[in-house]
Amino acid sequence: MFITEIAKISAREIYDSRGNPTIETTVQLRCGARGVASVPSGASTGAHEAWELRDGGDRLMGRGVLQAVSHVEGEIAQTLIGKSPLNQRRLDETLCQMDGTENLSRLGANAILSVSMACARAAAAALHLPLYRYLGGLPAGKLPGVMMNVLNGGLHAANNVDIQEFMLTPVSAGSVQQAVRMGVEVYHALKSLLHEKGLSISVGDEGGFAPDIPGDEDALVLLEEAVRRAGMVPGQDVCFSLDPAASGWQDGVGGYQLPKRGRRMSREEIVEFFTELAGRHPLFSLEDPLGEEDFQGFARLKQALPGCLIVGDDLFVTNQARVQTGVAAASAGALLVKPNQAGTLTRAMDAAREARQAGMALIVSHRSGETDSDFIADLAVAMGADFLKAGAPARGERVAKYNRLMAIESELHS
Ligand code: PGA
Ligand code: ZN
């Protein structure tokens, strides 16, 4: 049996795609193998996410992660050096026990996740396995499809669009290569369309365009035109996945208010709004269409729209217990998996397994603040996820994930 142990753990402060500090950790093994991992960061975060530890104070607008770095190089390194990197669950449980809080706020979920992922990378390297095989064995079924965010509203754009993300979901693609190519062609068709209409082609945090258009439905009409311009048929070749991120629409007294249009809406009106929208446009999925505590509202919409995948992001925050609540209430058809909401790889994989056992789909996701890491592409393959959601097919930190998914596909075919 192959035996190795953790010899050294180091960490440093690096910068993410928004220019905010984040943590990168390196785990060095006795056998010579090493693993490096960095952690992304969200903007429209769920209230129940694991805790991202920031330094506060004046330095780097209070967003520095030097405390997290010192926790990794101090307490965590002292405990893990000499341990086997090959038992991910035991390592992650040790990290959680050391922290001692439920949301990992003492050592910082960013510190803990960086170690959890770097250990997995080091172990895979020691065993000479690609990361997806180390985490999940040989992929049994189809590789994940893609959800590409190409048009932005909500908190991510200064326009009149309340829905945060409009994603392309190529549904007629026979391979990852083809799905990505279709997404790229529509992205470029959309760019030329916006340009012709005199609309802005500058891009937001996730690489999607943020044109100043009158409202949400105009965005869908534009996307349909872009799909046709790229020689494809909306609804047949490419469908649309929306992330309204409606936690941000809650008015604090049990109702909703669309922030841009200022319109007040009840839960019933939101359900009606999306049901009608789905009647007029090919909507593949709706992520967080209601508030993050509204398990019942989700269930109502799921019942009203059986043909559309209802996805829980802020609702579940990649948390096994919240997935159980959602399953009991029949709230959603899919779990969005963001490892940094969970804080360790094991916690993220447990939430995913819980969802899978209940027959839910899995969508592995980036954050709006990303690094050049392609870890989540391997994770999506390892989990047998249905989709990888990694932003537009533009900007290095976004395409790194799609390029890795294509590389895995080629590797599996050769
Ligand atoms: P975030 O946004 O990474 O800023 O949380 C993405 C999402 O809501 O899915
Ligand atoms: Zn979301």
Side-chain angles (χ1 to χ4, degrees), residues 18 41-46 49 156 164-165 206 243 245 287-288 313-314 336 338 341 365-369 389:
R18 268 196 283 257
S41 178
S44 62
T45 51
E49 296 194 15
H156 293 185
Q164 179 179 281
E165 297 170 23
E206 298 186 353
D243 182 1
E287 178 182 328
D288 286 348
D313 170 15
D314 291 352
L336 201 79
K338 290 171 167 171
Q341 287 180 328
S365 169
H366 68 156
R367 299 307 304 249
S368 50
K389 170 186 168 178

PDB file of all heavy atoms in Angstrom, residues 18 41-46 49 156 164-165 206 243 245 287-288 313-314 336 338 341 365-369 389, ligand 1:
ATOM      1  N   ARG A  18     -11.728  40.140  -9.043  1.00  0.00           N
ATOM      2  CA  ARG A  18     -12.260  41.478  -8.756  1.00  0.00           C
ATOM      3  C   ARG A  18     -11.213  42.353  -8.098  1.00  0.00           C
ATOM      4  O   ARG A  18     -11.487  43.463  -7.685  1.00  0.00           O
ATOM      5  CB  ARG A  18     -13.466  41.368  -7.806  1.00  0.00           C
ATOM      6  CG  ARG A  18     -14.794  41.258  -8.509  1.00  0.00           C
ATOM      7  CD  ARG A  18     -15.912  41.565  -7.514  1.00  0.00           C
ATOM      8  NE  ARG A  18     -16.156  40.463  -6.642  1.00  0.00           N
ATOM      9  CZ  ARG A  18     -17.189  39.628  -6.754  1.00  0.00           C
ATOM     10  NH1 ARG A  18     -18.048  39.790  -7.727  1.00  0.00           N
ATOM     11  NH2 ARG A  18     -17.362  38.643  -5.913  1.00  0.00           N
ATOM     12  N   SER A  41     -14.720  33.879  -4.141  1.00  0.00           N
ATOM     13  CA  SER A  41     -15.517  34.676  -3.208  1.00  0.00           C
ATOM     14  C   SER A  41     -16.766  35.230  -3.903  1.00  0.00           C
ATOM     15  O   SER A  41     -16.694  35.702  -5.026  1.00  0.00           O
ATOM     16  CB  SER A  41     -14.640  35.829  -2.707  1.00  0.00           C
ATOM     17  OG  SER A  41     -15.382  36.652  -1.843  1.00  0.00           O
ATOM     18  N   GLY A  42     -17.906  35.163  -3.218  1.00  0.00           N
ATOM     19  CA  GLY A  42     -19.159  35.628  -3.812  1.00  0.00           C
ATOM     20  C   GLY A  42     -19.448  37.091  -3.506  1.00  0.00           C
ATOM     21  O   GLY A  42     -18.846  37.680  -2.602  1.00  0.00           O
ATOM     22  N   ALA A  43     -20.397  37.673  -4.268  1.00  0.00           N
ATOM     23  CA  ALA A  43     -20.892  39.026  -3.983  1.00  0.00           C
ATOM     24  C   ALA A  43     -22.319  38.945  -3.445  1.00  0.00           C
ATOM     25  O   ALA A  43     -22.646  39.543  -2.424  1.00  0.00           O
ATOM     26  CB  ALA A  43     -20.838  39.892  -5.227  1.00  0.00           C
ATOM     27  N   SER A  44     -23.163  38.177  -4.154  1.00  0.00           N
ATOM     28  CA  SER A  44     -24.543  38.004  -3.676  1.00  0.00           C
ATOM     29  C   SER A  44     -24.587  36.723  -2.859  1.00  0.00           C
ATOM     30  O   SER A  44     -25.073  35.692  -3.274  1.00  0.00           O
ATOM     31  CB  SER A  44     -25.522  37.943  -4.851  1.00  0.00           C
ATOM     32  OG  SER A  44     -25.253  36.842  -5.673  1.00  0.00           O
ATOM     33  N   THR A  45     -24.027  36.814  -1.659  1.00  0.00           N
ATOM     34  CA  THR A  45     -23.847  35.605  -0.843  1.00  0.00           C
ATOM     35  C   THR A  45     -25.128  35.254  -0.077  1.00  0.00           C
ATOM     36  O   THR A  45     -25.918  36.129   0.262  1.00  0.00           O
ATOM     37  CB  THR A  45     -22.706  35.818   0.164  1.00  0.00           C
ATOM     38  OG1 THR A  45     -22.951  37.046   0.841  1.00  0.00           O
ATOM     39  CG2 THR A  45     -21.369  35.894  -0.520  1.00  0.00           C
ATOM     40  N   GLY A  46     -25.271  33.962   0.207  1.00  0.00           N
ATOM     41  CA  GLY A  46     -26.405  33.504   1.006  1.00  0.00           C
ATOM     42  C   GLY A  46     -26.133  33.770   2.490  1.00  0.00           C
ATOM     43  O   GLY A  46     -24.982  33.730   2.941  1.00  0.00           O
ATOM     44  N   GLU A  49     -24.123  30.883   4.452  1.00  0.00           N
ATOM     45  CA  GLU A  49     -22.855  30.339   3.950  1.00  0.00           C
ATOM     46  C   GLU A  49     -21.825  30.189   5.069  1.00  0.00           C
ATOM     47  O   GLU A  49     -21.881  30.921   6.078  1.00  0.00           O
ATOM     48  CB  GLU A  49     -22.251  31.283   2.891  1.00  0.00           C
ATOM     49  CG  GLU A  49     -23.103  31.406   1.646  1.00  0.00           C
ATOM     50  CD  GLU A  49     -22.376  32.055   0.476  1.00  0.00           C
ATOM     51  OE1 GLU A  49     -21.140  32.168   0.518  1.00  0.00           O
ATOM     52  OE2 GLU A  49     -23.065  32.419  -0.491  1.00  0.00           O
ATOM     53  N   HIS A 156     -25.350  42.972 -10.280  1.00  0.00           N
ATOM     54  CA  HIS A 156     -24.141  42.911 -11.110  1.00  0.00           C
ATOM     55  C   HIS A 156     -24.129  43.931 -12.248  1.00  0.00           C
ATOM     56  O   HIS A 156     -23.199  43.949 -13.039  1.00  0.00           O
ATOM     57  CB  HIS A 156     -23.968  41.499 -11.701  1.00  0.00           C
ATOM     58  CG  HIS A 156     -23.680  40.435 -10.675  1.00  0.00           C
ATOM     59  ND1 HIS A 156     -23.401  39.122 -10.990  1.00  0.00           N
ATOM     60  CD2 HIS A 156     -23.632  40.510  -9.319  1.00  0.00           C
ATOM     61  CE1 HIS A 156     -23.209  38.442  -9.874  1.00  0.00           C
ATOM     62  NE2 HIS A 156     -23.348  39.251  -8.851  1.00  0.00           N
ATOM     63  N   GLN A 164     -30.470  38.670 -12.087  1.00  0.00           N
ATOM     64  CA  GLN A 164     -29.009  38.829 -12.005  1.00  0.00           C
ATOM     65  C   GLN A 164     -28.257  38.176 -13.161  1.00  0.00           C
ATOM     66  O   GLN A 164     -27.299  38.730 -13.689  1.00  0.00           O
ATOM     67  CB  GLN A 164     -28.526  38.248 -10.674  1.00  0.00           C
ATOM     68  CG  GLN A 164     -27.029  38.317 -10.444  1.00  0.00           C
ATOM     69  CD  GLN A 164     -26.653  37.748  -9.083  1.00  0.00           C
ATOM     70  OE1 GLN A 164     -26.798  38.418  -8.068  1.00  0.00           O
ATOM     71  NE2 GLN A 164     -26.192  36.519  -9.050  1.00  0.00           N
ATOM     72  N   GLU A 165     -28.677  36.965 -13.542  1.00  0.00           N
ATOM     73  CA  GLU A 165     -27.907  36.243 -14.566  1.00  0.00           C
ATOM     74  C   GLU A 165     -28.812  35.610 -15.611  1.00  0.00           C
ATOM     75  O   GLU A 165     -29.803  34.949 -15.266  1.00  0.00           O
ATOM     76  CB  GLU A 165     -27.091  35.115 -13.912  1.00  0.00           C
ATOM     77  CG  GLU A 165     -26.058  35.625 -12.934  1.00  0.00           C
ATOM     78  CD  GLU A 165     -25.434  34.494 -12.125  1.00  0.00           C
ATOM     79  OE1 GLU A 165     -25.456  33.331 -12.582  1.00  0.00           O
ATOM     80  OE2 GLU A 165     -24.944  34.790 -11.028  1.00  0.00           O
ATOM     81  N   GLU A 206     -18.611  38.406 -14.219  1.00  0.00           N
ATOM     82  CA  GLU A 206     -18.552  37.019 -14.700  1.00  0.00           C
ATOM     83  C   GLU A 206     -18.401  36.950 -16.217  1.00  0.00           C
ATOM     84  O   GLU A 206     -18.595  35.895 -16.824  1.00  0.00           O
ATOM     85  CB  GLU A 206     -19.804  36.259 -14.249  1.00  0.00           C
ATOM     86  CG  GLU A 206     -19.904  36.198 -12.728  1.00  0.00           C
ATOM     87  CD  GLU A 206     -21.052  35.343 -12.222  1.00  0.00           C
ATOM     88  OE1 GLU A 206     -21.869  34.882 -13.042  1.00  0.00           O
ATOM     89  OE2 GLU A 206     -21.130  35.138 -10.997  1.00  0.00           O
ATOM     90  N   ASP A 243     -30.807  33.203 -13.183  1.00  0.00           N
ATOM     91  CA  ASP A 243     -30.590  33.303 -11.736  1.00  0.00           C
ATOM     92  C   ASP A 243     -31.092  34.666 -11.273  1.00  0.00           C
ATOM     93  O   ASP A 243     -30.357  35.650 -11.312  1.00  0.00           O
ATOM     94  CB  ASP A 243     -29.100  33.138 -11.389  1.00  0.00           C
ATOM     95  CG  ASP A 243     -28.864  33.193  -9.886  1.00  0.00           C
ATOM     96  OD1 ASP A 243     -29.855  33.341  -9.128  1.00  0.00           O
ATOM     97  OD2 ASP A 243     -27.692  33.084  -9.463  1.00  0.00           O
ATOM     98  N   ALA A 245     -31.597  35.501  -8.333  1.00  0.00           N
ATOM     99  CA  ALA A 245     -30.995  35.819  -7.020  1.00  0.00           C
ATOM    100  C   ALA A 245     -31.989  36.608  -6.176  1.00  0.00           C
ATOM    101  O   ALA A 245     -31.691  37.692  -5.660  1.00  0.00           O
ATOM    102  CB  ALA A 245     -29.671  36.563  -7.187  1.00  0.00           C
ATOM    103  N   GLU A 287     -32.871  29.683 -10.928  1.00  0.00           N
ATOM    104  CA  GLU A 287     -32.092  29.530  -9.693  1.00  0.00           C
ATOM    105  C   GLU A 287     -32.492  30.617  -8.706  1.00  0.00           C
ATOM    106  O   GLU A 287     -32.545  31.793  -9.076  1.00  0.00           O
ATOM    107  CB  GLU A 287     -30.608  29.647 -10.077  1.00  0.00           C
ATOM    108  CG  GLU A 287     -29.637  29.566  -8.930  1.00  0.00           C
ATOM    109  CD  GLU A 287     -28.198  29.738  -9.430  1.00  0.00           C
ATOM    110  OE1 GLU A 287     -27.889  29.321 -10.577  1.00  0.00           O
ATOM    111  OE2 GLU A 287     -27.386  30.299  -8.692  1.00  0.00           O
ATOM    112  N   ASP A 288     -32.724  30.265  -7.483  1.00  0.00           N
ATOM    113  CA  ASP A 288     -33.156  31.227  -6.463  1.00  0.00           C
ATOM    114  C   ASP A 288     -34.224  32.191  -6.988  1.00  0.00           C
ATOM    115  O   ASP A 288     -34.060  33.424  -6.927  1.00  0.00           O
ATOM    116  CB  ASP A 288     -31.943  32.030  -5.932  1.00  0.00           C
ATOM    117  CG  ASP A 288     -31.069  31.188  -4.999  1.00  0.00           C
ATOM    118  OD1 ASP A 288     -31.495  30.093  -4.581  1.00  0.00           O
ATOM    119  OD2 ASP A 288     -29.954  31.645  -4.673  1.00  0.00           O
ATOM    120  N   ASP A 313     -29.670  27.827  -4.681  1.00  0.00           N
ATOM    121  CA  ASP A 313     -28.295  28.295  -4.420  1.00  0.00           C
ATOM    122  C   ASP A 313     -28.259  28.874  -2.994  1.00  0.00           C
ATOM    123  O   ASP A 313     -27.926  28.167  -2.044  1.00  0.00           O
ATOM    124  CB  ASP A 313     -27.906  29.332  -5.484  1.00  0.00           C
ATOM    125  CG  ASP A 313     -26.598  30.048  -5.175  1.00  0.00           C
ATOM    126  OD1 ASP A 313     -25.842  29.580  -4.314  1.00  0.00           O
ATOM    127  OD2 ASP A 313     -26.317  31.100  -5.799  1.00  0.00           O
ATOM    128  N   ASP A 314     -28.674  30.150  -2.836  1.00  0.00           N
ATOM    129  CA  ASP A 314     -28.757  30.732  -1.482  1.00  0.00           C
ATOM    130  C   ASP A 314     -29.696  29.905  -0.596  1.00  0.00           C
ATOM    131  O   ASP A 314     -29.549  29.878   0.624  1.00  0.00           O
ATOM    132  CB  ASP A 314     -29.284  32.174  -1.543  1.00  0.00           C
ATOM    133  CG  ASP A 314     -28.276  33.127  -2.186  1.00  0.00           C
ATOM    134  OD1 ASP A 314     -27.132  32.703  -2.435  1.00  0.00           O
ATOM    135  OD2 ASP A 314     -28.647  34.280  -2.453  1.00  0.00           O
ATOM    136  N   LEU A 336     -27.296  23.782  -6.406  1.00  0.00           N
ATOM    137  CA  LEU A 336     -26.094  24.456  -6.886  1.00  0.00           C
ATOM    138  C   LEU A 336     -24.982  24.162  -5.888  1.00  0.00           C
ATOM    139  O   LEU A 336     -25.173  24.367  -4.691  1.00  0.00           O
ATOM    140  CB  LEU A 336     -26.334  25.967  -6.994  1.00  0.00           C
ATOM    141  CG  LEU A 336     -25.354  26.666  -7.935  1.00  0.00           C
ATOM    142  CD1 LEU A 336     -25.770  26.443  -9.379  1.00  0.00           C
ATOM    143  CD2 LEU A 336     -25.250  28.153  -7.655  1.00  0.00           C
ATOM    144  N   LYS A 338     -21.413  25.009  -4.451  1.00  0.00           N
ATOM    145  CA  LYS A 338     -20.296  25.950  -4.360  1.00  0.00           C
ATOM    146  C   LYS A 338     -19.472  25.534  -3.147  1.00  0.00           C
ATOM    147  O   LYS A 338     -19.916  25.729  -2.000  1.00  0.00           O
ATOM    148  CB  LYS A 338     -20.825  27.372  -4.144  1.00  0.00           C
ATOM    149  CG  LYS A 338     -21.544  27.982  -5.356  1.00  0.00           C
ATOM    150  CD  LYS A 338     -22.205  29.293  -4.951  1.00  0.00           C
ATOM    151  CE  LYS A 338     -22.669  30.102  -6.158  1.00  0.00           C
ATOM    152  NZ  LYS A 338     -23.503  31.262  -5.742  1.00  0.00           N
ATOM    153  N   GLN A 341     -19.234  27.728  -0.054  1.00  0.00           N
ATOM    154  CA  GLN A 341     -20.398  27.894   0.824  1.00  0.00           C
ATOM    155  C   GLN A 341     -20.356  26.847   1.931  1.00  0.00           C
ATOM    156  O   GLN A 341     -20.882  27.059   3.024  1.00  0.00           O
ATOM    157  CB  GLN A 341     -21.696  27.692   0.037  1.00  0.00           C
ATOM    158  CG  GLN A 341     -22.051  28.819  -0.915  1.00  0.00           C
ATOM    159  CD  GLN A 341     -23.347  28.560  -1.649  1.00  0.00           C
ATOM    160  OE1 GLN A 341     -23.695  27.413  -1.932  1.00  0.00           O
ATOM    161  NE2 GLN A 341     -24.061  29.610  -1.972  1.00  0.00           N
ATOM    162  N   SER A 365     -20.721  25.137  -9.374  1.00  0.00           N
ATOM    163  CA  SER A 365     -20.657  26.565  -9.734  1.00  0.00           C
ATOM    164  C   SER A 365     -19.415  27.287  -9.234  1.00  0.00           C
ATOM    165  O   SER A 365     -18.892  27.005  -8.158  1.00  0.00           O
ATOM    166  CB  SER A 365     -21.893  27.256  -9.157  1.00  0.00           C
ATOM    167  OG  SER A 365     -21.787  28.654  -9.248  1.00  0.00           O
ATOM    168  N   HIS A 366     -18.996  28.236 -10.028  1.00  0.00           N
ATOM    169  CA  HIS A 366     -17.974  29.227  -9.663  1.00  0.00           C
ATOM    170  C   HIS A 366     -18.585  30.273  -8.727  1.00  0.00           C
ATOM    171  O   HIS A 366     -19.760  30.195  -8.390  1.00  0.00           O
ATOM    172  CB  HIS A 366     -17.471  29.916 -10.939  1.00  0.00           C
ATOM    173  CG  HIS A 366     -18.521  30.783 -11.586  1.00  0.00           C
ATOM    174  ND1 HIS A 366     -18.228  31.836 -12.421  1.00  0.00           N
ATOM    175  CD2 HIS A 366     -19.889  30.762 -11.510  1.00  0.00           C
ATOM    176  CE1 HIS A 366     -19.354  32.415 -12.807  1.00  0.00           C
ATOM    177  NE2 HIS A 366     -20.358  31.786 -12.289  1.00  0.00           N
ATOM    178  N   ARG A 367     -17.805  31.277  -8.321  1.00  0.00           N
ATOM    179  CA  ARG A 367     -18.310  32.461  -7.648  1.00  0.00           C
ATOM    180  C   ARG A 367     -18.033  33.674  -8.532  1.00  0.00           C
ATOM    181  O   ARG A 367     -17.223  33.591  -9.450  1.00  0.00           O
ATOM    182  CB  ARG A 367     -17.613  32.679  -6.292  1.00  0.00           C
ATOM    183  CG  ARG A 367     -17.776  31.562  -5.271  1.00  0.00           C
ATOM    184  CD  ARG A 367     -19.196  31.148  -4.991  1.00  0.00           C
ATOM    185  NE  ARG A 367     -20.119  32.173  -4.560  1.00  0.00           N
ATOM    186  CZ  ARG A 367     -20.659  32.276  -3.343  1.00  0.00           C
ATOM    187  NH1 ARG A 367     -20.307  31.423  -2.404  1.00  0.00           N
ATOM    188  NH2 ARG A 367     -21.554  33.202  -3.060  1.00  0.00           N
ATOM    189  N   SER A 368     -18.671  34.795  -8.208  1.00  0.00           N
ATOM    190  CA  SER A 368     -18.442  35.972  -9.065  1.00  0.00           C
ATOM    191  C   SER A 368     -17.013  36.504  -8.920  1.00  0.00           C
ATOM    192  O   SER A 368     -16.462  37.075  -9.854  1.00  0.00           O
ATOM    193  CB  SER A 368     -19.479  37.050  -8.777  1.00  0.00           C
ATOM    194  OG  SER A 368     -19.579  37.296  -7.392  1.00  0.00           O
ATOM    195  N   GLY A 369     -16.390  36.300  -7.768  1.00  0.00           N
ATOM    196  CA  GLY A 369     -14.966  36.607  -7.619  1.00  0.00           C
ATOM    197  C   GLY A 369     -14.205  35.298  -7.715  1.00  0.00           C
ATOM    198  O   GLY A 369     -14.357  34.438  -6.857  1.00  0.00           O
ATOM    199  N   LYS A 389     -21.408  25.525 -14.081  1.00  0.00           N
ATOM    200  CA  LYS A 389     -21.782  26.932 -14.261  1.00  0.00           C
ATOM    201  C   LYS A 389     -20.552  27.770 -13.952  1.00  0.00           C
ATOM    202  O   LYS A 389     -20.118  27.836 -12.807  1.00  0.00           O
ATOM    203  CB  LYS A 389     -22.933  27.262 -13.304  1.00  0.00           C
ATOM    204  CG  LYS A 389     -23.274  28.725 -13.185  1.00  0.00           C
ATOM    205  CD  LYS A 389     -24.326  28.997 -12.100  1.00  0.00           C
ATOM    206  CE  LYS A 389     -24.402  30.501 -11.836  1.00  0.00           C
ATOM    207  NZ  LYS A 389     -25.395  30.886 -10.848  1.00  0.00           N
TER     208      LYS A 389
HETATM  209  P1  PGA B   1     -22.002  35.141  -6.232  1.00  0.00           P
HETATM  210  O1  PGA B   1     -23.076  35.065  -7.414  1.00  0.00           O
HETATM  211  O2  PGA B   1     -20.838  34.293  -6.544  1.00  0.00           O
HETATM  212  O3  PGA B   1     -21.713  36.625  -6.242  1.00  0.00           O
HETATM  213  O4  PGA B   1     -22.728  34.696  -4.983  1.00  0.00           O
HETATM  214  C1  PGA B   1     -23.366  33.943  -8.116  1.00  0.00           C
HETATM  215  C2  PGA B   1     -24.707  33.351  -7.842  1.00  0.00           C
HETATM  216  O5  PGA B   1     -25.577  33.951  -7.159  1.00  0.00           O
HETATM  217  O6  PGA B   1     -24.947  32.242  -8.317  1.00  0.00           O
END
